[in-house]
Amino acid sequence: MSVRVGAARLRALLLTLVSFLVVAGTATGCAGGDDDRPRIVVTTNILGDITREIAGTEADVSVLMKPNADPHSFGLSAVQAAELESADLVVHNGLGLEENVLRHVEAAREAGVATFAAGEAADPLTFHAGQEDGPGDGAGAPDPHFWTDPDRVRRVAGLITDQIIEHVDGVNEKAVRDNAERYDGQLADLTTWMEKSFAAIPEDRRALVTNHHVFGYLADRFGFRVIGAVIPSGTTLASPSSSDLRSLTRAMEQAEVRTVFADSSQPTRLADVLRQEMGGDVDVVPLYSESLTEKGKGAGTYLEMMRANTSAMAEGLTGD
C-alpha cells in the first residue's frame, strides 16, 4: 500500500514539475518577447529624456549618449551602432551636433529605418563667429542647440509624437497623445517661468558670454545679446586663438560684461584664461548646456536642466 502511495506521490510530483517547466518556459518566452517591443533609439540624452516623456511605456527608448558626455565628441560602440539599424525609429539632433554618430544614423536610414532630425525641424538659426549680435544674423553654420528655447522644444516634441505614431508599430496612439499633451503643458509652464525669472534682469545686463556658442536660441527667445564665446564656434572641438581671446576681451570690456557662463561638464580652463586676460575680475558661472547629468545631480531631466540654468543665469547677471 505504501509503495502505491509513494508511486502516486512521485507521479504527482513529476506532473507538478512538468507543469512548472511549461509555465516557466512560457514566461521566459514572454520575457524574450520584450525584444519584440517597439524600439526607439535616440542619440543625445536631452532628446532621449524628451522622447521618453512622450513614448512613456508604449515603447522601449534607448539613449546612446551617457550623462555628462559631450555630444560633439561622443562615439558609438559596435553594439550601439547595430542598435540603430534594428530600431523602429531613430531620433537624432542633426545640424552637425553628433559629429561622430551621423554616419551610423545615415547607415540606419539606408537600411530602411525611419529617422528624425529634430534640429532640422526646429526652424534652426545660424551663428556667425565673431558677430556680437549672435545667431540669426548673417550667413553662417546652422546652430544645433535649439533646446535652449523651450518653445522650439514644444514644436519638436509635437513632431516626435507624430513620428512615433507613424513609424513605431504597436503603440497606443491615445496613450502617446496623452503623454505628449501632458508634457506640452509642462513645457509651456517652463516658458512662462523663464520669462518671469529673466524679467528681473536689467536691459544693460542682458548680455551673454559662454564657453562656446550654445545659448543663441535662448538669447533670441528671451531678449539677450550674445557678446561672444571663449571658443568662437558652435562646437567644443574647436580651439580659440590668442587673437580670439583678445577680441572677446575687448568686446566684454566695451559691453561692461564680467560674467562668463561655462559648461558644467567641461573644464573651465578656457574661461579661467579669459579671467586672467581681464585682470581677474570675471565671474565664471557653470551651466548645464549640452548634456543631462545623472538623476539627482542637478540636471537629470530637460526640465530640471532648464530651470537650473535659468536660475544660475538670473543670479549671475543680476548679482543677487
Side-chain angles (χ1 to χ4, degrees), residues 156-178:
V156 166
L159 294 172
I160 291 174
T161 302
D162 293 338
Q163 290 287 316
I164 292 174
I165 291 169
E166 179 179 355
H167 297 293
V168 183
D169 292 337
V171 299
N172 183 312
E173 179 174 350
K174 183 180 184 305
V176 173
R177 295 284 185 198
D178 288 346

Side-chain angles (χ1 to χ4, degrees), residues 16 23 51 56 70 106 109 111 151 204 207 240 307:
T16 301
V23 171
T51 303
D70 183 343
E106 292 176 343
R109 184 187 303 116
D151 286 344
D204 61 346
R307 289 184 179 274

Side-chain angles (χ1 to χ4, degrees), residues 222-254:
F222 295 102
F224 287 86
R225 304 188 317 279
V226 179
I227 300 301
V230 179
I231 304 175
S233 172
T235 171
T236 55
L237 301 183
S239 299
S241 65
S242 57
S243 62
D244 291 330
L245 289 174
R246 285 195 299 271
S247 297
L248 181 57
T249 298
R250 286 195 298 269
M252 290 179 67
E253 289 172 343
Q254 291 172 2

Side-chain angles (χ1 to χ4, degrees), residues 21-35:
L21 291 174
V22 170
V23 171
T26 303
T28 303
C30 291
D34 287 345
D35 292 338

Side-chain angles (χ1 to χ4, degrees), residues 31 42 67 71 74 91 98 101 110 163 178 192 194 198 207 219 224 226 228 242 250 259 261 280 320:
V42 188
F74 90 101
V91 177
E98 316 99 315
V101 178
E110 291 174 0
Q163 290 287 316
D178 288 346
T192 301
M194 290 176 69
F198 289 144
F224 287 86
V226 179
S242 57
R250 286 195 298 269
T259 302
F261 295 101
D320 295 337

